[in-house]
Amino acid sequence: MNEVLKALDRRERVSLLYHGKVKGAIVPVGESRVARTSEHPFFGMASRADESVMVVMDRLRGGRFR
């Protein structure tokens, strides 16, 4: 745990492994990706009346093989 804290002090990401596979990550404070509403593809759709909501939602969700 001491090495993990030292890595975070150096502003490094720490990957958590389980049976050799990455299960998660510890990210230093201030580096986590904050999702912005304005970056979402559905942002501002209320003003677009050329497509129905169902058509747009189907396109955003995608199909099984997308």
Side-chain angles (χ1 to χ4, degrees), residues 3-16:
E3 290 184 33
V4 171
L5 293 174
K6 286 180 182 178
L8 291 173
D9 285 338
R10 292 189 303 264
R11 310 293 294 163
E12 297 176 5
R13 282 180 68 111
V14 178
S15 297
L16 304 174

Side-chain angles (χ1 to χ4, degrees), residues 15-24:
S15 297
L16 304 174
L17 304 176
Y18 182 75
H19 294 290
K21 296 181 181 178
V22 177
K23 282 293 204 176

